[in-house]
Amino acid sequence: MSPTEIRWGILATGGIAKSFTVDLLIDPKTRGVNTLKHTVLAAASSSGASRAQDFLKDCGAPASAKAYGSYDEFVKDPNIDIIYVATPHSHHYQNTMLCLDAGKNVLCEKAFTVNTAQTKALTKKAREKNLFLMEAVWTRYFPLSIYVRDVVTSGKLGKVTRVIADNPICSDPEKTFADDAHRMVNKDLAGGALLDLGIYSLTWCFQTLYHTQPPAERKPPSVVSSLKKYRTGADEMTSILLSFPRSPEAGGDAHAIATTSIRIPSDPDKKGTAGPAVRIQGDKGEVQVFPPPFRPTRTRMVLSDGTVEDKQFPQPGPGKGFFSGFGKNKNPEGEGHGMFWEADEAGNAFLEGRKEGKFLGLDESIVIMEVMDEVRKQSGLRYPEKIETLDYPVQL
C-alpha cells in the first residue's frame, strides 16, 4: 500500500519555516515511516510572491508549488490539507485565526500565542469548526522524549518528584541584536527569553511531571518566578519554580525549576562537558538530558542500584552530503533537523480524523500558557495591546 500524501501550505518564509520545510521533504522512510509522505503545495510571504517563490526554490519544493504574496489568498487554496504557521509568536493569533476561519487545519509554531486568552480563543474556534490544531513543540515528538516519558511511567526512577530544566542561549544582545528590532528582544514581536526559550524548559517540566499523569489527575501547578528585563523591556533572564499537585499515591507534590537566559551558555564547549540541561529525578534514580534541550540527542540514566545507561538518539536523515539546521547552527552531516516528527504527528492526526496532537493536546497548551501569563504578571511584563488583544482581524 503506497503512503498517503499530506499537502502542506507554509505561512511565512523565515528561518524556522525553511528548517521545517527542508525536513518536511525528507523521505519519511529514512525514519521508518511508511504510511504517509509530505509535499509542499504552497507557501506565502507577506513580503510578496517573489519572496515566496525564492523560498520554495531554496527549500527544494516541487516545481508545481504555488507562491502567494497574500495570506488572505493563500488560505483560500482548496488543495492544502494543513497549514504550518511560522510567523513570530506575536502574529500567531491573527495568522492562525485567519487559517481556521478559512477552514484549514493548523500546526502553529510555539509559543502558541502571546497569552492564554488567545490560545483559548483559537481552541474554541478549532473545536467549533472541527479542525485540527496543534502547537508545534517539536521536541515532544522526538523518540528521545518518548523514551524519557516511558522511563518516568515505568517506575524505574521510583516516584519522580523533581525536574530541573534550563534552556539559555549564549548571546551578547547589545551586539547581536544591536538595533533592538530582532524578535528575541523586540516587545512588538513578543520578544524575550520566556516565550521563545523558556517554553522548552517548561516543556520538559510538563511532559515529565504533568503529561505522565492520568488525564483526570492532572492539575495546574502553582508558580513563583523572577524575571530580569532587558533594556527594551523584554525579559532577558527568567527563573520559574513550579509545584505540581499530586496524590500521595503518586508521590505527593512534585517540584520543577525552569530557567532560561539570553546571555548564559548551557553548553560552553559544545561537548556536553558542563553536564545535562535537564534532570528528571526520582527516589530510585534520575534521567539526564544533555543540551541543547530543544534538540537533544543524548541521555543518561543513573540508578541507585549502580546502573548507568547512556543512550544516543541521532536524528535520521538522507545521509552523506545532506546538511540541515537553523540559522548558523548546522547539524551533523546526513541528519535531519528533527521537525519531521511533529509533521508526521500532524499528518497522522489528519488521516485518523484526530483534532489534536497525541503528546501535547490543546488543554495542556492552555495550562502552559497560563504559567507564562502568571510569570509575566508577577514581574509586570506586558506586551503592546495590539499583540495582546483578542480583536480579529488586526493588521500587524
Side-chain angles (χ1 to χ4, degrees):
M1 186 174 178
S2 58
T4 303
E5 187 173 73
I6 308 297
R7 303 169 299 178
W8 287 83
I10 311 298
L11 191 151
T13 55
I16 197 67
K18 182 175 181 180
S19 295
F20 178 84
T21 304
V22 169
D23 252 26
L24 195 68
L25 295 171
I26 294 173
D27 187 348
K29 292 179 181 178
T30 61
R31 54 187 180 274
V33 175
N34 299 300
T35 56
L36 56 75
K37 63 179 180 179
H38 305 282
T39 191
V40 177
L41 193 89
S45 172
S46 60
S47 300
S50 61
R51 169 65 186 129
Q53 189 62 59
D54 290 343
F55 170 84
L56 290 167
K57 183 178 179 180
D58 289 345
C59 293
S64 58
K66 297 180 181 179
Y68 288 92
S70 160
Y71 293 163
D72 290 330
E73 291 302 313
F74 166 75
V75 299
K76 294 174 185 175
D77 191 317
N79 298 311
I80 295 173
D81 294 322
I82 309 174
I83 290 178
Y84 171 62
V85 173
T87 47
H89 25 255
S90 53
H91 290 52
H92 287 175
Y93 174 68
Q94 298 293 330
N95 297 154
T96 301
M97 191 63 83
L98 175 69
C99 297
L100 295 173
D101 256 354
K104 291 293 188 287
N105 301 294
V106 179
L107 175 65
C108 177
E109 252 311 321
K110 57 81 201 161
F112 216 156
T113 56
V114 171
N115 57 46
T116 306
Q118 291 179 342
T119 298
K120 287 182 175 179
L122 294 179
T123 297
K124 183 173 183 286
K125 174 68 73 171
R127 289 173 174 168
E128 286 175 351
K129 302 197 72 160
N130 197 32
L131 294 168
F132 171 81
L133 177 62
M134 183 176 112
E135 184 179 13
V137 183
W138 59 318
T139 315
R140 287 259 184 160
Y141 295 90
F142 288 1
L144 181 150
S145 292
I146 296 170
Y147 159 76
V148 169
R149 294 194 299 269
D150 286 348
V151 168
V152 170
T153 56
S154 73
K156 289 181 180 179
L157 305 180
K159 303 292 187 184
V160 174
T161 55
R162 187 170 71 173
V163 173
I164 303 166
D166 184 39
N167 183 43
I169 57 172
C170 182
S171 177
D172 181 350
E174 287 85 1
K175 293 181 180 178
T176 309
F177 317 122
D179 63 0
D180 295 339
H182 191 276
R183 64 177 179 82
M184 188 60 71
V185 296
N186 186 348
K187 284 185 69 179
D188 286 341
L189 299 177
L194 177 62
L195 294 189
D196 200 88
L197 307 173
I199 183 69
Y200 289 111
S201 304
L202 289 170
T203 289
W204 279 104
C205 299
F206 268 83
Q207 73 169 332
T208 53
L209 293 179
Y210 183 88
H211 191 80
T212 53
Q213 296 186 60
E217 297 178 19
R218 297 171 187 170
K219 297 178 182 177
S222 62
V223 181
V224 178
S225 64
S226 183
L227 179 154
K228 179 182 179 182
K229 293 182 180 178
Y230 185 57
R231 68 188 185 191
T232 60
D235 67 303
E236 68 165 74
M237 181 168 65
T238 298
S239 301
I240 309 167
L241 173 62
L242 304 172
S243 182
F244 290 86
R246 297 191 308 184
S247 68
E249 294 76 21
D253 291 358
H255 289 178
I257 301 168
T259 55
T260 184
S261 170
I262 290 176
R263 297 182 190 272
I264 300 169
S266 63
D267 188 18
D269 64 0
K270 304 297 183 184
K271 297 178 181 178
T273 307
V278 182
R279 298 177 70 183
I280 299 115
Q281 301 174 318
D283 55 15
K284 294 182 181 178
E286 69 175 62
V287 168
Q288 302 170 348
V289 180
F290 288 81
F294 50 85
R295 189 187 181 272
T297 57
R298 180 161 73 99
T299 64
R300 172 173 290 166
M301 182 167 62
V302 183
L303 303 181
S304 55
D305 65 6
T307 299
V308 178
E309 183 178 277
D310 290 308
K311 282 186 172 290
Q312 301 283 343
F313 294 83
Q315 292 289 357
K320 189 175 181 180
F322 178 85
F323 292 93
S324 67
F326 175 66
K328 296 179 181 179
N329 297 315
K330 300 301 178 186
N331 301 317
E333 183 178 4
E335 290 189 10
H337 196 47
M339 303 186 83
F340 36 59
W341 298 114
E342 65 181 0
D344 290 347
E345 167 61 13
N348 280 319
F350 175 74
L351 295 178
E352 295 166 12
R354 286 189 288 112
K355 305 306 175 184
E356 302 184 27
K358 275 184 184 175
F359 302 144
L360 179 60
L362 296 171
D363 290 338
E364 187 171 346
S365 285
I366 288 170
V367 175
I368 295 172
M369 189 59 65
E370 287 174 337
V371 168
M372 293 194 287
D373 275 4
E374 179 61 24
V375 170
R376 290 201 293 128
K377 180 182 176 182
Q378 289 179 8
S379 292
L381 173 57
R382 185 168 176 82
Y383 299 113
E385 181 59 29
K386 65 182 179 180
I387 64 171
E388 294 262 16
T389 185
L390 286 175
D391 292 346
Y392 168 82
V394 172
Q395 186 66 40
L396 298 177

